[in-house]
Every structure is written in structure tokens, then in C-alpha cells.
Amino acid sequence: RLALPKNARVLDETMLTTPVPANALPGNRSVVELGDVVKIVDEESSFPVFRHNGRAAEMVQAELAGSYEAPLYGMLAVNEALEKMDFPPGVPKPRIILHGQPLDETKASLLWDGEWEVTWVTFRDMGAAFMAALVGIYILVVAQFRSFKLPLVILTPIPLTFIGIMFGHWLFHAAFTATSMIGFIALAGIIVRNSILLVDFVRHSDRSKGLRAVLIEAGAIRFKPILLT
């Protein structure tokens, strides 16, 4: 199939003067111009039916730019706009679906896809890997310290890292993206290592001073290495 490139598909004088071979009489070949054998009229085209994963769908595409480039912020803005809209009688507000396909196609649904689908899968997989890593860390620490309670103390600072992460994103006006999640997981590993060193330092200290004095001494001595880390 021969065709012009898309940027050259313009109905102009050059197109209409395209030579077309024609048979005027049997055995008598001649050449006519395209404009002599076609009639140009404007008419409405058929209504296009788009399908996505085998389901009828209307696709709306958009790109985010500016201060917030993560798809979540654009989704929240669209959801807020939908809440403010007044739908005509008999037209229900579309259901919002974050993942998967609608189970009921008798009602309109708004399915977020594209970059959000990538974000959803990324956060889901990294979250599962992070939980598996926490279980592995717990088992290893139990094996090292021969205690089931001590690993819980070591893992306690991990949720507290969200304080610094959220403050840092707020301070620099940064969007929380998949890269932020990777940084959180890496920071959790560093925090666990510092916790193990701090707890191990306390366990090997002179307990005759009292637990409170030992904890203060351990925190003072280990503060600089932890801060450098």
C-alpha cells in the first residue's frame, strides 16, 4: 500500500493534478488527472468507537507540568472538580476506579490509567518488597540477639523516618514519587543499621551506672557517626 506521509496529505492543486491511468476504450490507454475523475464533498464521518482491553471507552489524555508532576496530584484535582459538578437528572456521577476493570458496565466509570498504572504497580511492588525486607531483618536480629522483643525496639525508628521525609518534601515543594519511596526504603535500611549499632553498644556497656545513664552515654557517643551517616 503506497501512501503519502501524513504531513503531505493535503487536498491542494498538486494532489488534484496527480496523473491517473485510465482506459478510455478497450485497448486504448490514456492518462487523466485525479481532479477530473473524483468529486469532492464534505460529509460527517461515522462515530468512532474506541476500545480499551475489549471494553468500550472514551480516552482522555493529559500531561502534568509545573509544580506538581506526580499523577496523584492531577487525579486529586480532577476528583475535586467532579465533586463540584452538577450532573443532569438521570445522569449519575461516574465511579472512580484506581486499578483494574469495572465490574458493572451499565454505569459510567472513570478509570485512571497510563502513568498512574505504572505508579500503582511500582508502589505496590516496592511496598511488598519492603514488608518482606522488614520480616527478614526481624528474623536476622532475633538470631543475633536471641530476643523477640529487642528487634521491635530496633525497628521502631522506621515509621519515624516519615516525619523527616514529609518535612523535606514540604520544605522543597517536592512531589512524593516512586523515587521518594525508594529513598524511604534506603533510609529505613540505614536507620536499622544505626539502631543495631546503638543497641549493641548499650548491651556491652557497664550496666552498673544504671540504664538511663548508659542510654544517654550511648546516644552521645553514637550521635556523630549516626549524623554523618
Side-chain angles (χ1 to χ4, degrees), residues 18-37:
T18 301
V20 178
N23 293 329
L25 294 173
N28 183 16
R29 294 183 175 272
S30 62
V31 176
V32 297
E33 294 183 351
L34 181 63
D36 297 332
V37 295

Side-chain angles (χ1 to χ4, degrees), residues 18 24 27-28 43 48 61 87 104 112 118 123 136 143 151-152 159 163 210 212 222:
T18 301
N28 183 16
E43 61 179 19
Q61 300 181 359
F87 290 89
D104 183 10
W112 292 106
V118 177
F123 273 80
L152 298 178
I163 299 176
R212 180 181 177 86
R222 295 298 307 168

